[in-house]
Amino acid sequence: MQRLRFHLALIAAKCSIILIKMLGRNASHNPGAIALKICPKFMELAPKAPKVICVTGTNGKTTVANLLTDALVSDSKKVVSNRLGSNIVPGCTTNLINSLNIWGKCVVDATVYEVDERASRLILPYLKPDFLVVNNLFRDSLKRNGHPDYIFNILNTYCPDNTKLILNADELCSSQLKPNNDRVFFGIGKQETDLTKSINLIADYSFCPECGEVLDYDYLRYHHIGYAKCNKCGFHSHDADYLATTIDRENNTLTVMVNGEEQKYPLISDITFNIYNELSVISTLLELGYSYEDAYKLVSQIKVPDSRFNQDEINGVPVIQVLSKGQNSVSSSRAFDYVSEEKGNKVVILAMDDRHDRKKSVEYIGWIYDVDYEFFKRDSIKQIIAAGPRCYDHKVRLLLAGVDESIIHTCFEEVDSVELINWEEIDSVYILYDVYTYDLSCQIKEKVIKHLEGAK
Ligand SMILES: [Zn+2]
């Protein structure tokens, strides 16, 4: 009976994919939802690919899953992934359906799943991944995810015991996952720019998880990312099996120590959080059994998806879109830090209001008090335009951060922000957006480009 349900569910889901695609829509969520309605045990019953890789964590999972899929595809492997971002149970089920033919036989070499960390309890026990990549666990939307420790407990409880974990040694929460599983760690060694005290508003994990003593950090990169040690009981961060030693931003290379040998890879992005993303992809490729030479070739062919970071130059003016996830204080602080450090005078457009969440409710706005708006207190930032329904909330936060009121502008409609730009004093335009305002940020960018082309 179970098998019959499974096959009926598969056929119905496959038909729905054809229909949804005929309507010109993304068939990323509904086919999985239909299959689960007919056969609630679909995920458990479906045959799995020879290699199943799941990617989860607070920040970077979409980028890592996409980079990894691209790398495997460029090796002529047949791979499916839920790259359209549907990462809860129906989306992962759709991905599973795409790995099967109509007879229920697996027809791919590997499946890559981006898995929502909170939904992982309903996914990981059934997919039984060979590898689980976790980049980090940070504070995220309070409403959706509560506290990172709550998410840690979900992953720690529901990740199968025989899954190999690929973890970030520099992140003290996720690196403690599943201590009895087979695990490897990646990390970035001490860099010149590292600190010993966090300058961010949010720096969790200040206390030793073993004895409660205040932790000493050999180096801190941002928030609690770094190498921690306890002077009382000897606890310390894990040492990395894949350790990035040199980040050469001039020659775009990334040197990684593996088993005492140096491996040099192309640096696909010079933003630190993307270096962690790249490093997790390199670690996974090597764990999959690729040689250094083959992993090098594959990494040479991948690039960070446009929906996360995108740069154009119009008449000598760079126009840059940077993802700054709404309700996610670490993602936004990283984006703010990056923008403030870039050269030249700039205008920053903040279009990060989470329109998706706002559809049916009022979103929690306290997260903006966890974000380091203080990074905008720099001379090179000539204008900040807070755009969207929450523009006044952002303005209050900017004022509290000590940003000069004369450079702060507000508008309710994101696309109207372009009209507020004083073009005379700026060298570049930065558009910061949320996952759900990417399309809006593209509209803003189009308007900016139109102006710059007209000004030629
Ligand atoms: Zn201790």
Side-chain angles (χ1 to χ4, degrees):
M1 189 63 186
Q2 288 283 10
R3 296 309 306 175
L4 182 65
R5 269 178 173 252
F6 168 76
H7 282 286
L8 278 174
L10 180 63
I11 292 164
K14 288 276 185 196
C15 292
S16 76
I17 290 173
I18 296 167
L19 281 172
I20 293 167
K21 284 189 175 167
M22 278 167 66
L23 293 170
R25 292 169 60 187
N26 291 328
S28 61
H29 177 93
N30 289 330
I34 291 167
L36 289 165
K37 198 94 185 156
I38 299 168
C39 176
K41 287 189 170 179
F42 188 91
M43 201 177 255
E44 191 181 337
L45 293 170
K48 310 298 183 303
K51 281 282 175 268
V52 178
I53 306 158
C54 290
V55 184
T56 192
T58 309
N59 293 332
K61 57 185 175 292
T62 308
T63 305
V64 172
N66 289 353
L67 289 174
L68 192 58
T69 305
D70 292 345
L72 295 173
V73 167
S74 66
D75 184 39
S76 309
K77 290 277 186 291
K78 205 153 184 241
V79 186
V80 290
S81 76
N82 50 336
R83 66 182 311 141
L84 291 169
S86 199
N87 62 8
I88 53 174
V89 183
C92 289
T93 307
T94 303
N95 197 30
L96 185 54
I97 290 162
N98 288 331
S99 72
L100 306 173
N101 65 13
I102 193 82
W103 313 111
K105 189 170 175 291
C106 178
V107 288
V108 298
D109 300 309
T111 43
V112 177
Y113 294 87
E114 177 195 331
V115 177
D116 175 80
E117 55 277 27
R118 196 182 49 145
S120 63
R121 71 184 178 89
L122 302 169
I123 297 167
L124 297 179
Y126 308 111
L127 289 182
K128 296 186 172 38
D130 298 288
F131 295 101
L132 175 66
V133 185
V134 191
N135 246 359
N136 49 59
L137 288 174
F138 287 120
R139 293 189 195 192
D140 200 350
S141 162
L142 188 71
K143 202 170 70 179
R144 284 196 299 264
N145 284 14
H147 190 274
D149 285 348
Y150 166 67
I151 301 295
F152 175 93
N153 284 331
I154 290 176
L155 288 170
N156 210 39
T157 307
Y158 292 98
C159 172
D161 293 341
N162 51 4
T163 293
K164 186 165 191 175
L165 286 99
I166 299 174
L167 302 171
N168 183 350
D170 299 344
E171 199 279 295
L172 207 49
C173 183
S174 58
S175 63
Q176 307 303 312
L177 279 165
K178 302 291 288 183
N180 296 322
N181 278 36
D182 204 0
R183 307 185 297 176
V184 288
F185 297 90
F186 60 87
I188 301 175
K190 190 172 181 171
Q191 303 293 305
E192 268 180 18
T193 47
D194 287 342
L195 312 160
T196 49
K197 289 262 181 288
S198 181
I199 56 164
N200 299 108
L201 286 172
I202 299 306
D204 293 322
Y205 306 100
S206 309
F207 300 99
C208 175
E210 298 290 334
C211 74
E213 182 74 6
V214 174
L215 286 168
D216 207 8
Y217 275 84
D218 272 359
Y219 53 89
L220 257 175
R221 198 150 289 135
Y222 47 76
H223 304 279
H224 66 271
I225 296 290
Y227 190 94
K229 60 179 196 295
C230 172
N231 294 326
K232 190 174 170 194
C233 75
F235 168 87
H236 58 81
S237 296
H238 288 282
D239 294 314
D241 303 282
Y242 302 102
L243 180 70
T245 49
T246 312
I247 301 161
D248 185 344
R249 289 180 164 87
E250 269 178 30
N251 298 304
N252 281 325
T253 59
L254 177 68
T255 306
V256 185
M257 286 295 281
V258 184
N259 294 326
E261 281 184 17
E262 276 193 352
Q263 300 185 353
K264 214 172 247 190
Y265 291 91
L267 184 66
I268 60 172
S269 164
D270 66 352
I271 308 175
T272 308
F273 58 77
N274 274 332
I275 300 173
Y276 278 110
N277 292 337
E278 178 178 351
L279 206 46
S280 65
V281 171
I282 292 170
S283 310
T284 309
L285 291 174
L286 296 174
E287 283 297 318
L288 282 166
Y290 284 97
S291 65
Y292 161 50
E293 290 74 18
D294 288 340
Y296 176 91
K297 269 186 228 155
L298 301 184
V299 172
S300 307
Q301 293 174 59
I302 55 178
K303 68 186 208 60
V304 176
D306 282 353
S307 61
R308 308 278 132 175
F309 181 87
N310 189 311
Q311 176 162 357
D312 279 304
E313 195 163 311
I314 315 297
N315 292 332
V317 179
V319 183
I320 300 130
Q321 286 169 287
V322 186
L323 175 66
S324 172
K325 282 164 92 175
Q327 303 200 38
N328 183 314
S329 54
V330 172
S331 167
S332 294
S333 292
R334 292 297 84 234
F336 290 11
D337 189 11
Y338 172 76
V339 170
S340 70
E341 288 282 342
E342 288 294 278
K343 290 189 189 104
N345 293 332
K346 55 202 83 116
V347 54
V348 182
I349 299 170
L350 302 177
M352 302 134 48
D353 286 346
D354 192 336
R355 284 175 172 260
H356 178 79
D357 247 28
R358 215 189 55 219
K359 266 184 189 166
K360 292 177 185 165
S361 64
V362 175
E363 82 279 20
Y364 165 72
I365 202 67
W367 67 275
I368 67 170
Y369 292 88
D370 283 349
V371 181
D372 297 293
Y373 282 71
E374 286 72 7
F375 284 124
F376 287 141
K377 223 169 47 180
R378 299 215 172 139
D379 291 343
S380 66
I381 295 175
K382 297 295 177 192
Q383 300 155 44
I384 304 171
I385 304 172
R390 289 286 187 184
C391 59
Y392 292 137
D393 287 299
H394 295 288
K395 182 172 179 177
V396 169
R397 181 65 189 87
L398 285 161
L399 291 172
L400 283 170
V403 176
D404 187 344
E405 189 172 5
S406 66
I407 72 162
I408 308 169
H409 308 276
T410 50
C411 61
F412 283 105
E413 290 299 326
E414 283 87 344
V415 285
D416 292 345
S417 56
V418 184
E419 278 130 46
L420 298 172
I421 300 175
N422 176 1
W423 297 95
E424 281 173 16
E425 56 181 0
I426 56 148
D427 304 317
S428 50
V429 181
Y430 286 83
I431 307 162
L432 272 53
Y433 59 93
D434 177 57
V435 175
Y436 302 104
T437 53
Y438 176 62
D439 291 342
L440 265 176
S441 80
C442 290
Q443 289 174 33
I444 298 170
K445 185 175 156 186
E446 264 175 45
K447 257 178 117 172
V448 169
I449 290 174
K450 222 177 220 174
H451 173 90
L452 291 168
E453 285 176 344
K456 195 175 175 181

CSV table of all heavy atoms in Angstrom, one decimal, residues 303-336:
chain,number,residue,atom,x,y,z
A,303,LYS,N,31.1,30.9,-9.7
A,303,LYS,CA,31.1,32.3,-9.2
A,303,LYS,C,29.9,32.5,-8.3
A,303,LYS,O,28.9,31.8,-8.4
A,303,LYS,CB,31.2,33.3,-10.3
A,303,LYS,CG,30.0,33.4,-11.2
A,303,LYS,CD,30.3,34.3,-12.4
A,303,LYS,CE,29.2,35.1,-13.0
A,303,LYS,NZ,28.3,35.9,-12.4
A,304,VAL,N,30.0,33.5,-7.4
A,304,VAL,CA,29.0,33.8,-6.4
A,304,VAL,C,27.7,34.2,-7.2
A,304,VAL,O,27.8,35.0,-8.1
A,304,VAL,CB,29.4,34.9,-5.5
A,304,VAL,CG1,28.3,35.3,-4.5
A,304,VAL,CG2,30.6,34.5,-4.7
A,305,PRO,N,26.6,33.6,-6.9
A,305,PRO,CA,25.3,33.9,-7.6
A,305,PRO,C,25.0,35.4,-7.6
A,305,PRO,O,25.2,36.1,-6.6
A,305,PRO,CB,24.2,33.2,-6.9
A,305,PRO,CG,24.9,32.2,-6.0
A,305,PRO,CD,26.3,32.7,-5.8
A,306,ASP,N,24.5,35.9,-8.7
A,306,ASP,CA,24.2,37.4,-8.9
A,306,ASP,C,23.2,37.8,-7.8
A,306,ASP,O,23.1,39.0,-7.5
A,306,ASP,CB,23.6,37.6,-10.3
A,306,ASP,CG,24.7,37.7,-11.3
A,306,ASP,OD1,25.9,37.7,-10.9
A,306,ASP,OD2,24.3,37.8,-12.5
A,307,SER,N,22.3,36.9,-7.4
A,307,SER,CA,21.3,37.3,-6.5
A,307,SER,C,21.8,37.6,-5.1
A,307,SER,O,21.1,38.1,-4.2
A,307,SER,CB,20.2,36.2,-6.3
A,307,SER,OG,20.8,35.0,-5.9
A,308,ARG,N,23.1,37.4,-4.8
A,308,ARG,CA,23.7,37.6,-3.5
A,308,ARG,C,24.7,38.9,-3.6
A,308,ARG,O,24.8,39.6,-2.7
A,308,ARG,CB,24.6,36.4,-3.1
A,308,ARG,CG,23.8,35.1,-3.1
A,308,ARG,CD,23.0,35.0,-1.9
A,308,ARG,NE,21.6,34.5,-2.2
A,308,ARG,CZ,20.7,34.2,-1.3
A,308,ARG,NH1,21.0,34.2,-0.1
A,308,ARG,NH2,19.5,33.9,-1.7
A,309,PHE,N,25.3,39.0,-4.7
A,309,PHE,CA,26.2,40.1,-4.9
A,309,PHE,C,26.4,40.4,-6.4
A,309,PHE,O,26.6,39.5,-7.2
A,309,PHE,CB,27.6,39.8,-4.3
A,309,PHE,CG,28.6,40.9,-4.4
A,309,PHE,CD1,28.7,41.9,-3.5
A,309,PHE,CD2,29.5,41.0,-5.5
A,309,PHE,CE1,29.6,42.9,-3.6
A,309,PHE,CE2,30.4,42.0,-5.7
A,309,PHE,CZ,30.5,43.0,-4.7
A,310,ASN,N,26.3,41.7,-6.8
A,310,ASN,CA,26.3,42.0,-8.2
A,310,ASN,C,26.9,43.4,-8.4
A,310,ASN,O,26.5,44.3,-7.7
A,310,ASN,CB,24.8,41.9,-8.6
A,310,ASN,CG,24.7,42.0,-10.1
A,310,ASN,OD1,25.3,42.9,-10.7
A,310,ASN,ND2,23.9,41.1,-10.7
A,311,GLN,N,27.8,43.5,-9.3
A,311,GLN,CA,28.5,44.8,-9.5
A,311,GLN,C,28.5,45.1,-11.0
A,311,GLN,O,28.9,44.3,-11.9
A,311,GLN,CB,29.9,44.8,-9.0
A,311,GLN,CG,30.6,46.1,-9.3
A,311,GLN,CD,31.9,46.2,-8.4
A,311,GLN,OE1,32.2,45.4,-7.6
A,311,GLN,NE2,32.6,47.3,-8.7
A,312,ASP,N,28.0,46.3,-11.4
A,312,ASP,CA,28.1,46.8,-12.7
A,312,ASP,C,28.9,48.2,-12.7
A,312,ASP,O,28.9,48.8,-11.6
A,312,ASP,CB,26.7,47.1,-13.3
A,312,ASP,CG,26.1,45.8,-13.8
A,312,ASP,OD1,26.7,45.2,-14.7
A,312,ASP,OD2,25.0,45.5,-13.3
A,313,GLU,N,29.4,48.6,-13.8
A,313,GLU,CA,30.0,49.9,-13.8
A,313,GLU,C,29.5,50.7,-15.0
A,313,GLU,O,29.6,50.2,-16.1
A,313,GLU,CB,31.6,49.8,-13.9
A,313,GLU,CG,32.2,51.1,-13.6
A,313,GLU,CD,33.7,50.9,-13.2
A,313,GLU,OE1,34.1,50.0,-12.4
A,313,GLU,OE2,34.5,51.7,-13.8
A,314,ILE,N,28.8,51.8,-14.7
A,314,ILE,CA,28.2,52.6,-15.8
A,314,ILE,C,28.9,53.9,-15.8
A,314,ILE,O,28.9,54.7,-14.8
A,314,ILE,CB,26.7,52.8,-15.5
A,314,ILE,CG1,26.0,51.5,-15.0
A,314,ILE,CG2,26.0,53.4,-16.7
A,314,ILE,CD1,26.0,50.4,-16.0
A,315,ASN,N,29.5,54.2,-16.9
A,315,ASN,CA,30.3,55.5,-17.1
A,315,ASN,C,31.2,55.7,-15.9
A,315,ASN,O,31.3,56.8,-15.4
A,315,ASN,CB,29.3,56.7,-17.3
A,315,ASN,CG,28.6,56.6,-18.6
A,315,ASN,OD1,29.1,56.0,-19.6
A,315,ASN,ND2,27.4,57.2,-18.6
A,316,GLY,N,31.9,54.7,-15.5
A,316,GLY,CA,32.9,54.8,-14.5
A,316,GLY,C,32.3,54.8,-13.1
A,316,GLY,O,33.1,54.9,-12.1
A,317,VAL,N,31.0,54.7,-12.9
A,317,VAL,CA,30.4,54.7,-11.6
A,317,VAL,C,30.0,53.2,-11.2
A,317,VAL,O,29.1,52.7,-11.9
A,317,VAL,CB,29.2,55.6,-11.5
A,317,VAL,CG1,28.6,55.6,-10.1
A,317,VAL,CG2,29.6,57.0,-11.9
A,318,PRO,N,30.6,52.6,-10.2
A,318,PRO,CA,30.2,51.3,-9.8
A,318,PRO,C,28.8,51.3,-9.2
A,318,PRO,O,28.5,52.2,-8.3
A,318,PRO,CB,31.3,50.8,-8.8
A,318,PRO,CG,32.4,51.8,-9.0
A,318,PRO,CD,31.8,53.1,-9.5
A,319,VAL,N,28.0,50.4,-9.6
A,319,VAL,CA,26.6,50.2,-9.0
A,319,VAL,C,26.6,48.8,-8.4
A,319,VAL,O,26.7,47.8,-9.2
A,319,VAL,CB,25.5,50.4,-10.0
A,319,VAL,CG1,24.1,50.3,-9.4
A,319,VAL,CG2,25.7,51.7,-10.8
A,320,ILE,N,26.5,48.7,-7.1
A,320,ILE,CA,26.7,47.4,-6.4
A,320,ILE,C,25.5,47.0,-5.6
A,320,ILE,O,25.0,47.8,-4.8
A,320,ILE,CB,28.0,47.5,-5.5
A,320,ILE,CG1,29.2,47.8,-6.4
A,320,ILE,CG2,28.2,46.1,-4.8
A,320,ILE,CD1,30.0,48.9,-5.9
A,321,GLN,N,25.0,45.8,-5.9
A,321,GLN,CA,23.9,45.3,-5.1
A,321,GLN,C,24.5,44.3,-4.1
A,321,GLN,O,25.2,43.4,-4.5
A,321,GLN,CB,22.9,44.5,-6.0
A,321,GLN,CG,22.0,45.3,-6.8
A,321,GLN,CD,21.3,44.5,-7.8
A,321,GLN,OE1,21.9,44.0,-8.8
A,321,GLN,NE2,20.0,44.2,-7.6
A,322,VAL,N,24.2,44.5,-2.8
A,322,VAL,CA,24.7,43.5,-1.8
A,322,VAL,C,23.5,43.0,-1.0
A,322,VAL,O,22.7,43.8,-0.5
A,322,VAL,CB,25.7,44.3,-0.8
A,322,VAL,CG1,26.3,43.3,0.1
A,322,VAL,CG2,26.7,45.0,-1.6
A,323,LEU,N,23.4,41.7,-0.8
A,323,LEU,CA,22.4,41.1,0.0
A,323,LEU,C,22.6,41.5,1.5
A,323,LEU,O,23.7,41.3,2.0
A,323,LEU,CB,22.3,39.6,-0.2
A,323,LEU,CG,21.4,38.8,0.8
A,323,LEU,CD1,19.9,39.2,0.4
A,323,LEU,CD2,21.6,37.3,0.7
A,324,SER,N,21.6,42.0,2.1
A,324,SER,CA,21.7,42.3,3.5
A,324,SER,C,20.4,41.8,4.1
A,324,SER,O,19.4,42.6,4.2
A,324,SER,CB,21.8,43.9,3.6
A,324,SER,OG,21.7,44.3,4.9
A,325,LYS,N,20.4,40.6,4.6
A,325,LYS,CA,19.2,39.9,5.0
A,325,LYS,C,18.4,40.7,6.1
A,325,LYS,O,19.0,40.9,7.1
A,325,LYS,CB,19.4,38.5,5.4
A,325,LYS,CG,19.7,37.5,4.3
A,325,LYS,CD,20.3,36.3,4.7
A,325,LYS,CE,19.4,35.2,5.1
A,325,LYS,NZ,20.1,33.9,5.4
A,326,GLY,N,17.1,41.0,5.8
A,326,GLY,CA,16.3,41.6,6.8
A,326,GLY,C,16.1,40.6,8.0
A,326,GLY,O,16.1,39.4,7.8
A,327,GLN,N,15.9,41.2,9.2
A,327,GLN,CA,15.8,40.4,10.4
A,327,GLN,C,17.0,39.5,10.8
A,327,GLN,O,16.8,38.6,11.6
A,327,GLN,CB,14.5,39.6,10.3
A,327,GLN,CG,13.3,40.4,10.0
A,327,GLN,CD,12.0,39.7,10.4
A,327,GLN,OE1,11.9,39.0,11.4
A,327,GLN,NE2,11.0,39.9,9.6
A,328,ASN,N,18.1,39.8,10.1
A,328,ASN,CA,19.3,39.0,10.3
A,328,ASN,C,20.4,39.9,10.6
A,328,ASN,O,21.0,40.5,9.7
A,328,ASN,CB,19.5,38.1,9.1
A,328,ASN,CG,20.7,37.2,9.3
A,328,ASN,OD1,21.7,37.6,9.8
A,328,ASN,ND2,20.5,35.9,8.9
A,329,SER,N,20.7,40.1,11.9
A,329,SER,CA,21.6,41.2,12.3
A,329,SER,C,23.0,41.0,11.8
A,329,SER,O,23.7,41.9,11.5
A,329,SER,CB,21.6,41.4,13.8
A,329,SER,OG,21.8,40.1,14.5
A,330,VAL,N,23.4,39.7,11.8
A,330,VAL,CA,24.8,39.4,11.4
A,330,VAL,C,25.0,39.7,9.9
A,330,VAL,O,25.9,40.3,9.4
A,330,VAL,CB,25.3,38.0,11.8
A,330,VAL,CG1,26.6,37.7,11.2
A,330,VAL,CG2,25.3,37.9,13.3
A,331,SER,N,24.0,39.2,9.1
A,331,SER,CA,24.1,39.4,7.6
A,331,SER,C,24.2,40.9,7.3
A,331,SER,O,25.0,41.3,6.5
A,331,SER,CB,22.9,38.7,6.9
A,331,SER,OG,22.8,39.2,5.6
A,332,SER,N,23.3,41.6,8.0
A,332,SER,CA,23.2,43.1,7.7
A,332,SER,C,24.5,43.8,8.2
A,332,SER,O,25.0,44.6,7.5
A,332,SER,CB,22.0,43.7,8.3
A,332,SER,OG,20.8,43.2,7.7
A,333,SER,N,25.0,43.4,9.3
A,333,SER,CA,26.2,44.0,9.8
A,333,SER,C,27.4,43.8,8.9
A,333,SER,O,28.2,44.6,8.7
A,333,SER,CB,26.5,43.5,11.3
A,333,SER,OG,25.6,44.0,12.2
A,334,ARG,N,27.4,42.5,8.4
A,334,ARG,CA,28.5,42.2,7.4
A,334,ARG,C,28.4,43.1,6.2
A,334,ARG,O,29.4,43.5,5.7
A,334,ARG,CB,28.4,40.7,7.0
A,334,ARG,CG,28.7,39.6,8.0
A,334,ARG,CD,30.1,39.6,8.6
A,334,ARG,NE,30.2,40.6,9.7
A,334,ARG,CZ,31.1,41.6,9.7
A,334,ARG,NH1,32.0,41.7,8.8
A,334,ARG,NH2,31.1,42.4,10.7
A,335,ALA,N,27.2,43.2,5.7
A,335,ALA,CA,27.0,44.0,4.5
A,335,ALA,C,27.4,45.5,4.8
A,335,ALA,O,28.1,46.1,4.0
A,335,ALA,CB,25.6,43.9,4.0
A,336,PHE,N,27.0,46.0,6.0
A,336,PHE,CA,27.3,47.4,6.3
A,336,PHE,C,28.8,47.6,6.4
A,336,PHE,O,29.4,48.6,6.0
A,336,PHE,CB,26.6,47.8,7.6
A,336,PHE,CG,25.1,47.9,7.6
A,336,PHE,CD1,24.4,47.5,6.5
A,336,PHE,CD2,24.5,48.5,8.7
A,336,PHE,CE1,23.0,47.6,6.5
A,336,PHE,CE2,23.1,48.6,8.7
A,336,PHE,CZ,22.3,48.1,7.6
